[in-house]
Structure formats: C-alpha cells, structure tokens
Amino acid sequence: MDMRRAVAVLAEEAEQLIQDHVWEVAPGERALALDTAAGLREVVGPADVQGALPQIKRLEHLRETLAVLAISLARTHGRLAWFLSGALNTLEPVLHWRALPADRGGAFGTVLPSSEQYTEAEDAVRRLQDVLARVSRVG
C-alpha cells in the first residue's frame, strides 16, 4: 500500500470514530492536532513549491515531518497518539532514503528514492495536515 492510500485509511478510520462518537476529541487533543497540522504545513508546502526544491531539501523536509509527528506523539495518549503512531509508521520509508550518492563504501541500507516517491510522501503529509486540521475543529 502506498503512503497516500495508507494515510487515507488512517483518515477514514479517524473520521468514522469521531462520527460514531467512539473518539470524543478532548480540547487538549484539538489543540495538539492544530499545532501538529501547522507544524506539518510549515515543513511541507504546496506541491509546486516542494517539487521545485532540490531532492536533498525535499528529503530534509520529509524528515522534519517525522520529527513534528514524533514530538506530538510524545505529548498525547489514546486515539490521537494511535493516529500519530500510524502516521509515523506510514512515513517510515523516508528513514531509509538518501539524497546523496554512496560513491565509496556502504550506504547503511539507504536507497535513492524516485521523484514519484518524494511526491507520494509529500502528498501523504498534506493529507495528514488536512485530517489533523479537521480533528482540531471537532467539538
């Protein structure tokens, strides 16, 4: 399953849990979701902006999204934490990417991603931004 689809599945589950009143989003969760969405938006911008960047900057931005998600995960529990954990797991392949050639020696298991893979990951982050913004407005 690609990253976009995996985030779509997370989003569908979150929206269903909220709609069914299984997940009663607390005020603290709403605030954290809003902060997380803003942090993600700050790191990964619109597709045309990201696409114009050199791959090394795109990878840097994607790694920063992992940091934003990890910090938010550390600040919460319950369903929001589970959602953020799922988002981190979905974006985990980014940890195996590199933007520089491995001229001599090993590359510690890293790979050079394609331009399409960068786009897929960035699209997934934008979807996460949208879902977290919606979670922040529940209640």
Side-chain angles (χ1 to χ4, degrees):
M1 182 179 327
D2 75 18
M3 288 183 214
R4 283 180 286 232
R5 181 66 193 133
V7 168
V9 169
L10 285 172
E12 291 165 12
E13 183 176 358
E15 291 165 355
Q16 190 65 54
L17 290 170
I18 291 168
Q19 180 181 346
D20 292 346
H21 302 285
V22 173
W23 182 7
E24 299 289 341
V25 182
E29 290 177 310
R30 288 194 297 272
L32 184 58
L34 183 61
D35 288 347
T36 306
L40 294 176
R41 194 164 278 108
E42 186 177 312
V43 177
V44 172
D48 58 334
V49 173
Q50 289 300 127
L53 295 173
Q55 287 190 344
I56 198 163
K57 285 307 255 180
R58 291 175 81 179
L59 181 55
E60 179 182 308
H61 290 188
L62 287 167
R63 288 177 179 160
E64 286 181 42
T65 66
L66 295 171
V68 168
L69 291 168
I71 289 168
S72 294
L73 174 60
R75 295 180 176 157
T76 192
H77 303 281
R79 287 193 168 80
L80 182 58
W82 304 337
F83 176 82
L84 294 171
S85 178
L88 279 162
N89 283 327
T90 296
L91 294 171
E92 184 269 341
V94 169
L95 295 173
H96 301 281
W97 294 357
R98 69 176 193 277
L100 301 173
D103 294 332
R104 290 177 292 177
F108 301 99
T110 60
V111 297
L112 292 168
S114 67
S115 181
E116 293 79 24
Q117 287 173 299
Y118 279 106
T119 300
E120 176 188 326
E122 291 160 350
D123 288 346
V125 171
R126 284 186 208 92
R127 179 70 192 267
L128 286 170
Q129 293 168 3
D130 294 342
V131 173
L132 288 163
R134 283 196 302 278
V135 169
S136 75
R137 294 189 296 269
V138 171

